[in-house]
Amino acid sequence: MTEQAHWWQRGIIYQVYPRSFMDRNGDGVGDLAGVTSRLEYLEWLGVDAIWLSPFFPSPMADFGYDVSNYVDVHPLFGTLGDFDRLVAEAHRRALKVIVDFVPNHTSDEHPWFQESRSSRDSPRRDWYIWRDPAPNGGPPNNWLAIFGGSAWQSDTTTGQYYYHAFLPRQPDLNWRLPEVRDAMYDVLRFWLDRGADGFRLDAVWYLFEDEQLRDNPPNPDYRPGDDPYHALLAAFTSDLPEMQEVMAEMRAVLDGYDERVMIGEIYLPIERLVAYYGVNGNGCHLPANFQLILQPWDAAHIGAVVDRYEAALPDGAWPNWVLGNHDKPRVASRIGPAQARVAAVLLLTLRGTPTMYQGDEIGMHDVEIPPDRAQDPIERHVPGLGLGRDPERTPMQWDSGPQAGFTDGTPWLPLADDAARVNVAAERDDPRSILTLYRRLIALRRAEPALQVGCYVPVPVEGNLLGYRRELDGSEFLVALNLGDIEQEFAPRQPDLRGPIELSTHLDRTGETVDGSFRLRAHEAVVVRLK
Ligand code: NOJ
């Protein structure tokens, strides 16, 4: 398996949110030259690939997820030349570069939409989804936008409504139209030809909507105070079967190149998520699995979800696990800084490609953003529900200097108040830091094929504890994790598990031999070499 495994199976993916990673030109917003200047760090950390959130021209209504030109770089982030230099430098360091591809919608400033909205007879009219008003003049049906309000925006120029799954400034493309597909596949080729090693497909389960425009049904589990979007079930606006054909077509484009990866952003229950591997594996290589973000953090839920996911994977499908991203509260804030170390051990020892989010490796937490500095459109469209994503998007903390070494200017979002202590420079040489833990876990995983591609065998155990073995070709590890905040006895039913601890969350038990049952302190996890 090791030799045949692809880089995206063995490797670790690190998400870079370019606005907040490193600013080289002093405007307070990160840029591509900044990313290039920090590749040395990523190589030192030991990750294999970076996924870059959007850096394309955009009016920034949704911070780049509203693209007005798919084949260029926003001046805030640099130029195409900066992208080429980034790729060249990354490849020189054996790092892969994954580009964010936003297929569901463009910006309302994209020339395609400008043309489409200009008249009912525009040759690009059908590139977007236009419908007449309902008989009462209101929106064509009850569909809701994820970022608040109706998903239909009326447009005075032509007296019709257009559909937008997200913001009104993010009109949905019409993927039923072959011309749209061809234009978008050309975009894929553009970045592949420039050396991109693959794509993360944004919001890919939203590509199609019901052609008959049937109303979405009410959600019986909706409670007042929940995100209003969830008042309805997205039965007719997401996860439609037409998706399979498009995924296969995108995949065929990638397959025309060597060793590229296709990752899908899909928030669906496991049983539906796995459909995005496609028919006989002709879809995404990695439909992103967000269960570690979504599940309650205790051994019962996490253990059950690992088992359910492993069982649901189609033949030949490769698993993956995501611990954080720019849309969800940070792991250190979700489960606390001590459990975040346990989560690191879990992420990097489970079977499947791990995806980490920038800053989680130094223990960054969510930063409270004063209302007058709020940036995220969700915060402004659906205020007061805590849906805004600014807290997890604050600048990367590099050192204890001004602005944490992120910028010489004023950062676009405020820095965490503990940035002088929680930063790369301070943690790099600290033998007990979370950064040291991440780096050692990554090094161990890189050195041990059993941890990269070995099989996963649960080790049943009582209490708020998780246990499993990873094994390959006679080499074998036990991973034991305490998901609780009290000391617990790890007493597996299988009594013959014995060997030296290779690594532990607290970084103080390496070399200690455990045998049968042993104590795990609060928030402690260990990786034991069995064979
Ligand atoms: C998912 C992206 O991760 C998120 O940041 C964005 O707002 C939506 N898709 C819309 O593109």
Side-chain angles (χ1 to χ4, degrees), residues 393-410:
R393 295 178 176 180
T394 61
M396 180 73 182
Q397 296 154 203
W398 294 103
D399 58 41
S400 44
Q403 315 301 354
F406 163 69
T407 180
D408 294 334
T410 306

Side-chain angles (χ1 to χ4, degrees), residues 100 115 179 184 194 210 256-257 268 284 289 319 324 331 360 386 401 406 413 417 451 456 487 517 530:
D100 215 314
E115 226 182 301
E179 290 85 342
M184 291 300 269
R194 286 198 108 89
D210 183 41
Y257 296 74
L268 285 173
C284 293
N289 166 14
V331 60
D360 282 350
F406 163 69
L413 279 174
D417 52 14
L451 291 175
Y456 165 87
E487 183 168 301
S517 99
L530 298 175

Side-chain angles (χ1 to χ4, degrees), residues 114 116-120 125 130 154-160:
Q114 303 274 311
S116 178
R117 92 188 316 178
S118 65
S119 98
R120 290 195 187 205
R125 185 65 170 178
W130 294 96
S154 77
D155 199 43
T156 44
T157 319
T158 56
Q160 283 194 312

Side-chain angles (χ1 to χ4, degrees), residues 15 17 51 53-54 62-66 100 102 104-105 146-147 166-167 170 200-206 265 267 325-327 376-378 389 393:
Q15 182 190 353
Y17 190 69
W51 146 35
S53 280
D62 188 17
F63 293 107
Y65 284 96
D66 49 320
D100 215 314
V102 187
N104 180 67
H105 45 269
I146 294 150
F147 290 164
F166 293 88
L167 292 172
Q170 294 168 297
R200 174 263 192 188
L201 312 179
D202 181 73
V204 73
W205 78 114
Y206 284 114
E265 186 209 22
Y267 284 90
N325 62 34
H326 64 295
D327 292 328
D376 186 15
I378 306 197
R389 300 160 296 178
R393 295 178 176 180

Side-chain angles (χ1 to χ4, degrees), residues 292-298 302 323 329-344 346 366 438 482-485 523:
L292 296 183
I293 298 179
L294 302 174
Q295 290 294 325
W297 194 260
D298 59 54
I302 300 293
L323 192 57
R330 281 192 179 271
V331 60
S333 296
R334 295 197 310 267
I335 63 177
Q339 271 300 312
R341 298 173 78 116
V342 176
L346 184 71
D366 290 350
Y438 261 99
N482 183 351
L483 273 71
D485 57 4
H523 311 295

Side-chain angles (χ1 to χ4, degrees), residues 216-297:
N216 274 330
N219 174 2
D221 297 327
Y222 183 74
R223 300 281 164 271
D226 291 352
D227 178 349
Y229 173 70
H230 295 301
L232 303 179
L233 297 171
F236 294 113
T237 44
S238 70
D239 192 25
L240 296 196
E242 289 89 328
M243 183 55 227
Q244 291 293 338
E245 190 179 280
V246 166
M247 260 194 328
E249 289 173 2
M250 290 182 183
R251 178 59 187 275
V253 175
L254 270 77
D255 286 348
Y257 296 74
D258 267 3
E259 284 287 292
R260 312 294 162 114
V261 70
M262 190 162 110
I263 303 170
E265 186 209 22
I266 300 135
Y267 284 90
L268 285 173
I270 287 176
E271 291 64 29
R272 286 303 309 151
L273 170 69
V274 295
Y276 287 70
Y277 283 104
V279 178
N280 298 323
N282 70 353
C284 293
H285 296 105
L286 303 173
N289 166 14
F290 299 114
Q291 293 299 326
L292 296 183
I293 298 179
L294 302 174
Q295 290 294 325
W297 194 260

Side-chain angles (χ1 to χ4, degrees), residues 459-470:
V459 172
V461 59
E462 300 292 327
N464 195 6
L465 297 164
L466 277 180
Y468 48 88
R469 290 183 288 125
R470 299 290 314 280

